Amino acid sequence: MRVRMTAAGTANWKTPVQIGLDQWRVNYETWMVTRYTFENGRVVHVKTRYAGVDDIDLSANASVSGGFGHIEGNDEDGDKLFGRVDWVVREGYQGGVYTFLGGTGKWKDASGVVEAAVWTDEEEHEQVMPPTGPMRNYGFVDGEGEMSVPSLGA
């Protein structure tokens, strides 16, 4: 069924490691509050934690040019939702492709994909890229997709 996903939170980057002339990789951990609004009217709120790696490429159109992360969600009923996010950059767009891989309780057989634009802002507005040490970002996610959640109910 159709679902809208909106979320906001913070991400902490570790110190990047240089892997090429203009390229770095950086581990991150993100904490967000996510709201899933399903086409049947059901709304579910999920505390969501991400852990992954971002690609920094100063020669690309966007300094964060790729990356991925793993998703661990915990909703208001204590049910867990698992998944993966892959970073996508294309003309005028940066965001995630969120692939859901099941979980516990209502999310047991959940599956689907949501594509959501991501807005981010560094804690320090004059932040240099790549950062020379750890860095905090604030972000907002908004998008839609298809999600099958057989145990969701109305």
Side-chain angles (χ1 to χ4, degrees):
M1 87 176 68
R2 201 82 186 141
V3 64
R4 177 163 211 80
M5 182 177 101
T6 54
T10 63
N12 289 337
W13 275 8
K14 301 294 185 186
T15 302
V17 61
Q18 190 167 10
I19 62 165
L21 184 59
D22 287 328
Q23 297 179 332
W24 290 259
R25 297 292 181 272
V26 61
N27 292 328
Y28 72 85
E29 191 170 22
T30 299
W31 298 268
M32 300 191 104
V33 177
T34 307
R35 178 175 51 225
Y36 297 94
T37 305
F38 293 90
E39 66 183 332
N40 68 358
R42 179 79 187 267
V43 174
V44 182
H45 294 93
V46 181
K47 295 178 290 187
T48 311
R49 180 175 164 257
Y50 300 79
V53 177
D54 280 338
D55 304 332
I56 301 170
D57 186 344
L58 298 184
S59 65
N61 290 335
S63 58
V64 179
S65 58
F68 70 93
H70 300 282
I71 302 168
E72 176 186 62
N74 188 355
D75 72 17
E76 64 255 30
D77 298 324
D79 296 336
K80 292 192 177 283
L81 174 62
F82 306 123
R84 177 185 169 99
V85 60
D86 291 284
W87 190 252
V88 174
V89 177
R90 57 181 179 264
E91 185 67 33
Y93 176 87
Q94 291 188 53
V97 176
Y98 299 79
T99 304
F100 298 99
L101 305 168
T104 65
K106 74 179 73 54
W107 306 109
K108 181 180 179 286
D109 295 315
S111 63
V113 175
V114 171
E115 187 167 323
V118 177
W119 171 87
T120 64
D121 193 17
E122 296 87 12
E123 189 165 54
E124 301 296 327
H125 289 287
E126 294 81 29
Q127 179 66 56
V128 297
M129 280 296 185
T132 56
M135 180 179 85
R136 177 173 291 172
N137 288 289
Y138 294 83
F140 185 80
V141 174
D142 186 30
E144 292 186 354
E146 295 292 326
M147 205 170 174
S148 172
V149 189
S151 301
L152 184 63

